[in-house]
Amino acid sequence: MINFLKNILNNNDVYKQEEDNNKNLELLCGLMIEAAYTDGKIDETELNKIKLSLVNIFDEKPDEVNLVLKEAVKNKNNSKSLHHYTSYINKNFDDKNKIILIEALWEIVLSDGDIHDYESNLIRRLAGLLYISDINSGNARK
């Protein structure tokens, strides 16, 4: 009976962790699409950079990334507020991961070879909402 209860609790922990991972992926993907679409268009280079960032930097599974990315692109016009993204990130990411996220967002924005004022403004606002100093944000851009 005790083993049965332990298994139930362990399965709930695994389920909760999987649920958290899915939420992380959805939010990261949504935020990256938001950054890429700030200039009014998303090209294939930006989409590829988003996929690579999610797989290589954030250790997400490629198949899951493709599914979530398709959904995020389809819903790009139903964007959420920055507060929606940043409140979750502030609760679940440490400072190091926040800076890594800002670096990834800069790479996505810069991947099309053109920096739009709205894109750099978005990342500056995100850095402020994530409590990242201007110095660290500037270093992330480099």
Side-chain angles (χ1 to χ4, degrees):
M1 179 67 156
I2 291 176
N3 286 335
F4 176 72
L5 291 174
K6 283 182 182 178
N7 284 337
I8 289 174
L9 292 175
N10 286 339
N11 285 338
N12 283 340
D13 288 344
V14 169
Y15 178 74
K16 174 125 175 62
Q17 184 178 9
E18 187 175 308
E19 198 173 87
D20 289 346
N21 288 343
N22 289 340
K23 180 83 169 169
N24 280 348
L25 177 57
E26 289 173 14
L27 281 169
L28 288 172
C29 193
L31 186 57
M32 290 177 177
I33 289 293
E34 184 81 20
Y37 192 62
T38 301
D39 62 359
K41 62 185 179 350
I42 299 176
D43 63 22
E44 200 62 37
T45 307
E46 290 170 319
L47 288 174
N48 288 334
K49 186 52 111 173
I50 291 170
K51 286 179 196 176
L52 287 174
S53 295
L54 290 169
V55 171
N56 295 334
I57 297 171
F58 295 100
D59 296 326
E60 298 291 347
K61 296 176 185 157
D63 293 339
E64 290 178 20
V65 167
N66 287 330
L67 290 173
V68 172
L69 189 57
K70 273 185 198 172
E71 194 64 29
V73 168
K74 189 167 52 171
N75 294 320
K76 72 182 178 300
N77 292 323
N78 303 330
S79 68
K80 308 236 186 296
S81 71
L82 291 182
H83 178 69
H84 172 77
Y85 297 113
T86 57
S87 64
Y88 181 84
I89 291 168
N90 281 327
K91 290 177 190 170
N92 296 288
F93 284 53
D94 61 12
D95 289 341
K96 180 183 172 190
N97 284 326
K98 290 178 191 179
I99 292 171
I100 290 170
L101 173 61
I102 293 294
E103 287 174 355
L105 290 172
W106 274 118
E107 286 181 13
I108 292 163
V109 165
L110 294 169
S111 67
D112 64 0
D114 189 28
I115 268 195
H116 197 277
D117 289 339
Y118 292 135
E119 292 171 327
S120 58
N121 183 321
L122 172 73
I123 296 178
R124 268 194 317 274
R125 286 186 297 143
L126 281 170
L129 291 168
L130 295 173
Y131 308 112
I132 296 173
S133 70
D134 289 340
I135 292 170
N136 286 336
S137 180
N139 288 337
R141 182 177 178 176
K142 290 177 185 176

